[in-house]
Coordinates of all heavy atoms in Angstrom, one line a residue:
L1 N -7.4 5.0 4.3 CA -7.9 5.2 3.0 C -6.7 5.3 2.0 O -5.8 6.2 2.3 CB -8.7 6.5 2.9 CG -9.3 7.0 1.6 CD1 -10.4 6.0 1.1 CD2 -10.0 8.3 1.8
Y2 N -6.7 4.5 1.0 CA -5.6 4.5 0.0 C -6.2 5.0 -1.3 O -7.3 4.6 -1.7 CB -5.1 3.1 -0.2 CG -4.2 2.5 0.9 CD1 -4.8 1.9 2.0 CD2 -2.9 2.5 0.8 CE1 -4.0 1.3 2.9 CE2 -2.1 2.0 1.7 CZ -2.6 1.3 2.8 OH -1.8 0.8 3.8
P3 N -5.4 5.7 -2.1 CA -5.8 5.9 -3.5 C -5.7 4.6 -4.3 O -4.9 3.7 -3.9 CB -4.8 6.9 -4.0 CG -3.6 6.8 -3.2 CD -4.1 6.3 -1.8
A4 N -6.5 4.4 -5.3 CA -6.6 3.2 -6.1 C -5.2 2.9 -6.7 O -5.0 1.7 -7.1 CB -7.7 3.2 -7.1
T5 N -4.4 3.9 -6.9 CA -3.1 3.7 -7.6 C -2.0 3.2 -6.6 O -0.9 2.9 -7.1 CB -2.6 5.0 -8.2 OG1 -2.6 6.0 -7.2 CG2 -3.6 5.4 -9.3
T6 N -2.3 3.1 -5.3 CA -1.3 2.7 -4.3 C -1.7 1.4 -3.6 O -2.8 1.4 -3.0 CB -1.1 3.8 -3.3 OG1 -0.7 5.0 -4.0 CG2 0.0 3.5 -2.3
G7 N -0.9 0.4 -3.8 CA -1.3 -0.9 -3.1 C -1.1 -0.8 -1.6 O -0.3 -0.1 -1.1
R8 N -2.0 -1.5 -0.9 CA -1.9 -1.5 0.5 C -0.7 -2.3 1.0 O -0.3 -3.2 0.4 CB -3.2 -2.1 1.1 CG -4.4 -1.2 0.9 CD -5.7 -1.8 1.2 NE -6.3 -2.3 0.0 CZ -7.6 -2.3 -0.3 NH1 -8.4 -2.0 0.7 NH2 -8.0 -2.7 -1.4
N9 N -0.2 -1.9 2.2 CA 0.9 -2.6 2.8 C 0.4 -3.6 3.8 O 0.0 -3.2 4.9 CB 1.8 -1.6 3.4 CG 3.1 -2.2 4.0 OD1 3.1 -3.3 4.4 ND2 4.1 -1.4 4.0
F10 N 0.3 -4.9 3.5 CA -0.3 -5.8 4.4 C 0.6 -6.2 5.5 O 0.2 -6.6 6.6 CB -0.7 -7.1 3.6 CG -2.1 -6.9 3.0 CD1 -2.2 -6.4 1.7 CD2 -3.2 -7.3 3.6 CE1 -3.5 -6.2 1.1 CE2 -4.5 -7.1 3.1 CZ -4.6 -6.6 1.8
D11 N 2.0 -5.9 5.4 CA 2.8 -6.1 6.5 C 2.5 -5.1 7.6 O 2.5 -5.3 8.8 CB 4.3 -6.0 6.1 CG 4.8 -7.1 5.2 OD1 4.3 -8.3 5.4 OD2 5.6 -6.9 4.3
E12 N 2.2 -3.8 7.1 CA 1.8 -2.8 8.1 C 0.4 -3.1 8.7 O 0.2 -2.9 9.9 CB 1.7 -1.4 7.4 CG 1.1 -0.3 8.2 CD 1.8 0.1 9.5 OE1 2.9 -0.5 9.7 OE2 1.3 0.9 10.2
I13 N -0.5 -3.7 7.9 CA -1.8 -4.1 8.5 C -1.6 -5.1 9.5 O -2.3 -5.1 10.6 CB -2.8 -4.5 7.3 CG1 -3.1 -3.2 6.5 CG2 -4.0 -5.1 7.9 CD1 -3.8 -3.6 5.2
L14 N -0.8 -6.1 9.3 CA -0.5 -7.1 10.3 C 0.1 -6.5 11.6 O -0.2 -6.8 12.7 CB 0.5 -8.2 9.8 CG -0.1 -9.3 9.0 CD1 0.9 -10.2 8.4 CD2 -1.0 -10.2 9.9
R15 N 1.1 -5.5 11.4 CA 1.7 -4.8 12.5 C 0.7 -4.1 13.3 O 0.7 -4.1 14.6 CB 2.8 -3.9 12.0 CG 3.6 -3.2 13.1 CD 4.4 -2.0 12.5 NE 3.6 -0.8 12.3 CZ 3.4 0.1 13.3 NH1 3.9 -0.1 14.5 NH2 2.6 1.1 13.0
V16 N -0.3 -3.4 12.6 CA -1.3 -2.7 13.3 C -2.2 -3.7 14.1 O -2.6 -3.4 15.3 CB -2.1 -1.8 12.3 CG1 -3.4 -1.3 13.0 CG2 -1.3 -0.7 11.8
V17 N -2.6 -4.8 13.5 CA -3.4 -5.8 14.2 C -2.7 -6.2 15.5 O -3.3 -6.3 16.6 CB -3.7 -7.0 13.3 CG1 -4.3 -8.2 14.1 CG2 -4.7 -6.6 12.2
D18 N -1.3 -6.5 15.4 CA -0.6 -6.9 16.6 C -0.6 -5.8 17.6 O -0.8 -6.1 18.8 CB 0.9 -7.2 16.2 CG 1.0 -8.5 15.4 OD1 0.2 -9.4 15.5 OD2 2.1 -8.6 14.6
S19 N -0.5 -4.6 17.2 CA -0.5 -3.5 18.2 C -1.9 -3.4 18.8 O -2.1 -3.2 20.0 CB -0.2 -2.2 17.5 OG -0.4 -1.1 18.4
L20 N -3.0 -3.4 18.0 CA -4.3 -3.3 18.5 C -4.7 -4.4 19.5 O -5.3 -4.1 20.5 CB -5.3 -3.3 17.3 CG -5.4 -2.0 16.4 CD1 -6.2 -2.3 15.2 CD2 -5.9 -0.8 17.2
Q21 N -4.3 -5.6 19.1 CA -4.6 -6.7 20.0 C -3.8 -6.6 21.3 O -4.3 -6.8 22.4 CB -4.3 -8.1 19.3 CG -5.3 -8.3 18.2 CD -5.1 -9.6 17.5 OE1 -4.0 -10.2 17.5 NE2 -6.1 -10.1 16.8
L22 N -2.5 -6.2 21.3 CA -1.7 -6.1 22.5 C -2.3 -5.0 23.4 O -2.4 -5.2 24.6 CB -0.2 -5.8 22.1 CG 0.7 -5.5 23.3 CD1 0.9 -6.7 24.1 CD2 2.0 -5.0 22.7
T23 N -2.6 -3.8 22.8 CA -3.0 -2.7 23.6 C -4.4 -2.8 24.1 O -4.8 -2.2 25.0 CB -2.8 -1.4 22.8 OG1 -3.6 -1.4 21.6 CG2 -1.4 -1.1 22.5
A24 N -5.2 -3.7 23.5 CA -6.6 -4.0 23.9 C -6.6 -4.8 25.2 O -7.5 -4.7 26.0 CB -7.3 -4.8 22.9
Y25 N -5.5 -5.6 25.4 CA -5.5 -6.5 26.6 C -4.4 -6.1 27.7 O -4.5 -6.7 28.8 CB -5.3 -7.9 26.1 CG -6.3 -8.3 25.1 CD1 -6.0 -8.6 23.8 CD2 -7.7 -8.4 25.4 CE1 -7.0 -9.0 22.9 CE2 -8.6 -8.7 24.5 CZ -8.3 -9.0 23.2 OH -9.2 -9.4 22.3
K26 N -3.5 -5.3 27.3 CA -2.5 -4.8 28.3 C -2.5 -3.3 28.4 O -3.0 -2.6 27.5 CB -1.1 -5.2 27.8 CG -0.9 -6.7 27.5 CD -0.8 -7.5 28.8 CE -0.5 -9.0 28.5 NZ -0.4 -9.8 29.7
K27 N -2.1 -2.8 29.5 CA -2.1 -1.3 29.7 C -0.8 -0.7 29.1 O 0.0 -0.1 29.9 CB -2.2 -1.1 31.2 CG -3.6 -1.5 31.8 CD -3.8 -1.2 33.2 CE -5.2 -1.6 33.6 NZ -5.6 -1.1 34.9
V28 N -0.7 -0.9 27.8 CA 0.4 -0.3 27.1 C 0.0 0.3 25.8 O -1.2 0.2 25.4 CB 1.4 -1.5 26.8 CG1 2.0 -2.1 28.0 CG2 0.8 -2.5 25.9
A29 N 0.9 1.1 25.2 CA 0.8 1.7 23.9 C 2.0 1.3 23.1 O 3.0 0.9 23.7 CB 0.6 3.2 24.0
T30 N 1.9 1.4 21.8 CA 3.1 1.0 21.0 C 3.7 2.3 20.4 O 2.9 3.1 19.8 CB 2.7 0.0 19.9 OG1 1.7 0.5 19.1 CG2 2.4 -1.3 20.5
P31 N 5.0 2.6 20.5 CA 5.6 3.8 20.0 C 5.8 3.8 18.5 O 5.6 2.7 17.9 CB 6.9 3.8 20.8 CG 7.3 2.4 21.0 CD 5.9 1.7 21.2
V32 N 6.3 4.9 18.0 CA 6.6 5.0 16.6 C 7.5 3.8 16.1 O 8.4 3.4 16.8 CB 7.2 6.4 16.3 CG1 8.6 6.5 17.0 CG2 7.4 6.6 14.8
D33 N 7.2 3.3 14.9 CA 7.9 2.2 14.3 C 8.0 1.0 15.1 O 8.9 0.1 14.9 CB 9.4 2.7 13.9 CG 9.3 3.9 12.9 OD1 8.4 3.9 12.1 OD2 10.2 4.7 13.0
W34 N 7.1 0.8 16.1 CA 7.1 -0.4 16.9 C 6.9 -1.7 16.0 O 6.2 -1.6 15.0 CB 6.0 -0.3 17.9 CG 5.8 -1.6 18.7 CD1 6.4 -1.9 19.9 CD2 4.9 -2.6 18.4 NE1 6.0 -3.1 20.3 CE2 5.0 -3.6 19.4 CE3 3.9 -2.9 17.4 CZ2 4.2 -4.8 19.5 CZ3 3.2 -4.0 17.5 CH2 3.3 -5.0 18.5
K35 N 7.6 -2.7 16.4 CA 7.4 -4.1 15.8 C 7.2 -5.1 16.9 O 7.7 -4.9 18.0 CB 8.6 -4.5 15.0 CG 8.8 -3.6 13.8 CD 10.1 -4.0 13.0 CE 10.5 -3.0 12.0 NZ 11.4 -2.0 12.5
P36 N 6.4 -6.1 16.7 CA 6.2 -7.2 17.7 C 7.5 -7.6 18.3 O 8.5 -7.9 17.6 CB 5.5 -8.3 17.0 CG 4.8 -7.6 15.8 CD 5.7 -6.5 15.4

């Protein structure tokens, strides 16, 4: 949830998608500040 005055960070959204997809199929988790 973002306030209307703050633009969303789509690079972060892509990073989260990468993490969600990886962790959905492998027995791993992604640590703080993880990048693909």
Side-chain angles (χ1 to χ4, degrees):
L1 180 64
Y2 286 85
T5 56
T6 303
R8 287 170 263 213
N9 184 330
F10 278 88
D11 292 327
E12 171 62 5
I13 293 169
L14 275 172
R15 185 191 80 87
V16 169
V17 166
D18 288 336
S19 173
L20 289 170
Q21 290 180 341
L22 176 65
T23 60
Y25 304 116
K26 303 286 183 180
K27 293 184 179 190
V28 297
T30 56
V32 64
D33 298 328
W34 173 86
K35 294 179 190 92

